[in-house]
Amino acid sequence: MKKLFFICLLLATVFYGCKRHSPNTNILLENVDSLVRHNQLDSASTLLEKIGMDDLTNASDSAHFFLRKTQILYILYKPIPSTEMIDYSIRYYEQRGQAEKLTDAYFYKGVVLYEQGQTKEAIVCIKKAEYLAEELDSIGIKHKIYENLFVMNEEAGEATLALDYAKKVLALSYATGNKIWLARAFNNIAVSYNKLNAPDSANVYVRKSMEMLQYIPVKERIYILNNLGAQLIPTNPQLAKATLLKVIQIAPMGAAYENLATIYIAEGDTGKANEMWNKALQTDNRQVKADVMRSKFIHQCSTKNYKDATATARQLMALKDSLYKSRMDNNVKSSQIAFDNMKSRQIYERNIEISILVILLLTFSFAIVFLFFRYRAYKVKGALAMDQLRIKNFENRIAELERLGQHKEKEIDDLNRKKEKLLDKHRGILYDGHKLYTGIMEGQTTVLWKKKEFENFLEYYRLVDMEFMDTLELEYEELSSKYKFFMVMEHLGNSDKDIMHIMGLAESSIRSAKSRINKRRLSAQA
């Protein structure tokens, strides 16, 4: 038994030691985040490799790991066979409401799908990321979303939409002062203006981009230099050629070869032009291939090489059909419009729901407040009526004791103190009611009275004639304070003419008041 105990203790110690010295996955992932933020992607990738699947012991770390794994593989141009990893991250961040990481996850799923040729699905993911990013303060996330939407629209031939996103990128670049971002943004706007046949505007932004060229990594300079070369062809072909030759020295680029061919054709060097065209056709960019074939076809026609021109025309038509079909199948513009419309509808419906909820809450709040004040008014009124009854009883008792005479002074004083105490409790209402009652008895009118004056008069009159006031409430259903006052005036022996004067009523109003009072009485009796 002791031997078994020591074996178990040894195993537990070994397990604890292993566990204690295993890497803290959460800290490693935070370090990966830091390296990614500082663009140290190779180091981030190396650190990420230290995290094994066995280290992913909870859903949070797993979602974080899969997000960064997808991000780094994409940025380092490594293959990503499926979106299963990033789908896991999306599901987790959707459930937890972690907006920033969810935005990042949708973005990387979108760009991975785009690389795989699933354009429609890619657009939906990146548009989701765009809408989520609008609620965030992260300029970095917004920048990469807008920049990729520029690329997608530019490659799809949607130059207007591409220009809109290029301007959004430029605004963010100015906000941060990031020179690399600025150089790219200027170049992207130049590309868009070129596609929109606005060469003057394009030239302005090409020059701006060239001023920032020193800040761009060498491999990325080819795009800006190629745009500059293309812009210079009509005005300074020799400088354009030198610029484009710099491009292909850095890296082969189909568009640069195609631009060089245009210069060589103008110089009459057909052999060199054909060499450039053939190199340009090695690109995977079908739009560049179409531009090359169009240039070749025009040259072949101008040199009366109709046989080759016919073959080129067939190839060009097939390529254009393929491009058109691809654009129709993956209609980038309509996909974006459809998504924007859906989001607008969702926002509208959400705003309607919020408005209805607010209206219901306000209505409910007003109802609660109304009922509270109504309850408090009834409570005060009930308390007043009860106290009035007690005051009346005290008065009757005092009158009886005074009639009995001798040796009742002490009891009478005690009753008077109780009466005064109750009167003090409602002094404001009863004092005002007494004042109004006295005024009416002295010939004043109710012309300037409001509802409160009628109510205070009636509360005081209850002390004067409680039996009559009780009769009014028993025999008439929900009679207004004004009609009760009318009945009190009749009860006091005032004629219709007197009441017309007191209440400022016309003869027809007197008849109408009596009719309505009678209806209330009939209703109460029924």
Side-chain angles (χ1 to χ4, degrees), residues 25-36:
T25 306
N26 187 260
I27 292 174
L28 285 174
L29 287 168
E30 287 178 1
N31 291 335
V32 169
D33 284 350
S34 178
L35 291 169
V36 169

Side-chain angles (χ1 to χ4, degrees), residues 63-112:
H64 196 173
F65 174 83
F66 292 140
L67 170 58
R68 294 298 167 236
K69 185 76 173 176
T70 303
Q71 178 182 7
I72 291 169
L73 288 175
Y74 172 77
I75 295 173
L76 295 178
Y77 301 99
K78 294 182 178 180
I80 303 173
S82 77
T83 62
E84 286 182 8
M85 289 192 301
I86 201 66
D87 284 335
Y88 180 94
S89 301
I90 288 172
R91 284 194 299 271
Y92 178 81
Y93 295 130
E94 279 181 336
Q95 292 168 2
R96 296 300 186 280
Q98 296 184 24
E100 187 162 336
K101 285 183 177 175
L102 178 60
T103 305
D104 232 11
Y106 270 126
F107 170 78
Y108 284 108
K109 181 177 180 179
V111 292
V112 167

